[in-house]
Amino acid sequence: MNVGIVCYPTYGGSGVLATELGIALSKKGHNVHFISSSLPARLDKYYANIHFHEVRNLQYPLFEYTPYETALASKIVDVMTYEKLDVLHVHYAVPHASAAFMTKQILKTKGIHIPVITTLHGTDITLVGNDPSYAPVVEFSINMSDGVTAVSHSLKNDTLYRFNIEKEIQVIYNFIDKTKFTRDYNPELKKLFGKEDDIFLVHVSNFRPVKRIMDVIKTWEILNQENPKIKLLMIGDGPERQKAEDFCRGGNCGDIHFLGRRDGIGKLLSICDVFIMPSEKESFGLAALEAMACGVPVVSSDIGGIPEVNIQGKTGYVCALGDIESMVKGVKAITKDRATWEQFSQNCIEFADSFDINEVVPVYEQFYQHVIKESVA
Ligand code: GMT
């Protein structure tokens, strides 16, 4: 198949998932055309049948805001016309689904039909997409897609609750590439941040307000006061980092390492003992799944799709939003002795196996085939 993939190029989960999907499809012999505002962050190697088309967003003094959606639709028309895509798969509804609809209409006038699939990722429904400034367009463009997927049952239900959706939504979970995320414990790496017998908590995100990174720090603070062997690695960057660092600079945060944005974090995750995800919105929690695949149990909030990934008492603990005390208890319960931690860790590795890329990518391929067959010109 000739597949067009539209995504954000940044470190957000939707861009990561879209890029990994494109790479996996190319390895199976499909031609993949990424269309994005810059090279997707995880597209860090050359692949014979992956092509990248950059959306050029023309600046003009009249524009207070440059019309990205128009530039994107024009680029898709160009790629579609010359590369003859079989299907266009857009990740994150805003504004990709409406740009895809516009593209479809333009191509129709040229006698070209393109089936469009929209994958809903999370904040495109739960935060940004349902803001009145976008909601009518988001609802319309979801309904105009030929196929719609959501990354969890929770997100599907949220979408049906918040919008008037006529289209069937298929749930296709996020997936994990075990060649990138697998337990690979390196004591020498651990020594860079602490001692062999220290307990490492870890958080990975884009440090946006929805990630509630101060809850991570408060949880660590309580635990560290009782047991100074408990350290914290903060991986990622974003708008809340300054606040968190300022808080730490005012007190005793010597045992927190802010590592910034990192690639290839499987090895870093593998030296950690508990992953903390206190998000107030999370449609799936890909970062938690990546940690689990590296054998790291998770203490998380019970929001959105997280309980579909983090299984209470098995792979970790899910706590009410903002319930720091429960998160502290969860970390203590997981790390109370070596045997308990090992059981949780093993459960994580086994459960993460059910989200293996090799199982999930064929589901997307079948969905493409189905939509191509069913969509009407
Ligand atoms: O929250 C992020 O890290 C970015 C965001 C996005 O849409 O780019 O991620 C969402 O998509 C991921 C991949 O499907 C999900 O695993 C995340 O749970 C989801 N984030 C939220 O819902 C907040």
Side-chain angles (χ1 to χ4, degrees):
M1 271 183 281
N2 252 356
V3 183
I5 293 185
V6 175
C7 64
Y8 283 107
T10 47
Y11 280 86
S14 63
V16 167
L17 193 97
T19 311
E20 297 290 358
L21 174 62
I23 294 170
L25 289 168
S26 81
K27 286 182 180 162
K28 295 186 86 174
H30 302 291
N31 267 317
V32 178
H33 293 265
F34 281 101
I35 304 168
S36 188
S37 55
S38 61
L39 191 73
R42 284 225 181 151
L43 202 57
D44 51 355
K45 288 190 201 133
Y46 294 105
Y47 301 87
N49 43 352
I50 289 189
H51 314 270
F52 169 58
H53 308 269
E54 186 166 323
V55 180
R56 243 192 91 237
N57 209 7
L58 184 74
Q59 308 286 331
Y60 185 67
L62 186 68
F63 299 151
E64 192 181 353
Y65 305 104
T66 53
Y68 177 71
E69 198 173 335
T70 306
L72 174 61
S74 300
K75 179 53 83 180
I76 304 172
V77 168
D78 176 72
V79 175
M80 179 62 206
T81 309
Y82 294 97
E83 304 292 350
K84 313 258 180 299
L85 303 180
D86 296 305
V87 63
L88 181 70
H89 187 177
V90 304
H91 292 260
Y92 204 91
V94 188
H96 299 155
S98 44
F101 171 73
M102 166 81 90
T103 309
K104 227 172 141 61
Q105 300 312 303
I106 297 168
L107 289 169
K108 210 174 181 176
T109 64
K110 298 169 185 267
I112 301 171
H113 171 63
I114 174 86
V116 170
I117 293 172
T118 299
T119 288
L120 310 172
H121 279 273
T123 50
D124 48 351
I125 295 300
T126 58
L127 193 74
V128 186
N130 69 48
D131 187 279
S133 44
Y134 297 129
V137 175
V138 170
E139 181 177 278
F140 173 80
S141 45
I142 291 173
N143 280 327
M144 289 299 120
S145 302
D146 298 289
V148 183
T149 75
V151 298
S152 65
H153 289 281
S154 156
L155 183 60
K156 173 178 174 174
N157 293 339
D158 261 341
T159 311
L160 297 176
Y161 176 75
R162 289 165 198 264
F163 298 98
N164 194 357
I165 298 297
E166 294 144 16
K167 276 265 136 52
E168 178 62 29
I169 301 178
Q170 173 156 349
V171 173
I172 306 182
Y173 279 137
N174 284 181
F175 52 77
I176 193 86
D177 181 348
K178 286 196 293 177
T179 63
K180 292 181 182 162
F181 292 94
T182 188
R183 185 139 191 95
D184 182 10
Y185 178 74
N186 177 353
E188 294 308 312
L189 182 61
K190 189 165 183 181
K191 279 190 205 146
L192 296 180
F193 306 104
K195 300 211 171 69
E196 178 97 46
D197 61 344
D198 283 345
I199 294 170
F200 280 11
L201 310 186
V202 62
H203 173 78
V204 184
S205 78
N206 45 27
F207 290 25
R208 287 185 300 173
V210 288
K211 304 295 177 180
R212 292 179 70 106
I213 63 170
M214 288 311 293
D215 284 7
V216 180
I217 291 179
K218 285 182 205 155
T219 304
W220 165 83
E221 200 180 26
I222 295 171
L223 288 159
N224 178 265
Q225 271 161 10
E226 267 183 43
N227 178 3
K229 287 199 159 300
I230 299 189
K231 314 276 159 110
L232 172 62
L233 302 188
M234 295 289 284
I235 304 173
D237 210 329
E240 296 291 289
R241 176 170 173 176
Q242 189 67 48
K243 194 173 18 163
E245 289 220 65
D246 286 347
F247 173 84
C248 286
R249 285 170 187 156
N252 172 28
C253 286
D255 290 335
I256 300 185
H257 299 274
F258 286 90
L259 299 179
R261 212 173 269 156
R262 300 281 169 148
D263 282 323
I265 58 166
K267 281 190 167 51
L268 264 180
L269 288 168
S270 297
I271 59 166
C272 296
D273 301 286
V274 182
F275 186 89
I276 312 280
M277 179 177 261
S279 307
E280 70 183 50
K281 291 197 188 301
E282 204 68 66
S283 65
F284 181 89
L286 181 58
L289 179 63
E290 290 178 341
M292 284 163 57
C294 296
V296 186
V298 176
V299 169
S300 66
S301 65
D302 61 357
I303 293 302
I306 301 180
E308 293 173 56
V309 183
N310 183 22
I311 310 303
Q312 177 78 336
K314 187 177 171 203
T315 62
Y317 288 98
V318 285
C319 311
L321 181 65
D323 188 349
I324 308 284
E325 213 177 293
S326 287
M327 293 205 290
V328 167
K329 273 194 200 146
V331 173
K332 284 185 181 169
I334 292 168
T335 57
K336 70 176 182 194
D337 54 52
R338 189 70 202 166
T340 306
W341 181 84
E342 263 167 15
Q343 185 61 61
F344 272 99
S345 173
Q346 192 51 37
N347 293 347
C348 285
I349 293 171
E350 283 167 16
F351 192 58
D353 275 354
S354 57
F355 298 90
D356 192 316
I357 192 167
N358 299 311
E359 305 290 327
V360 181
V361 170
V363 180
Y364 273 113
E365 286 175 294
Q366 280 159 21
F367 191 65
Y368 289 175
Q369 296 289 8
H370 167 77
V371 170
I372 291 169
K373 195 163 144 243
E374 296 295 312
S375 78
V376 274

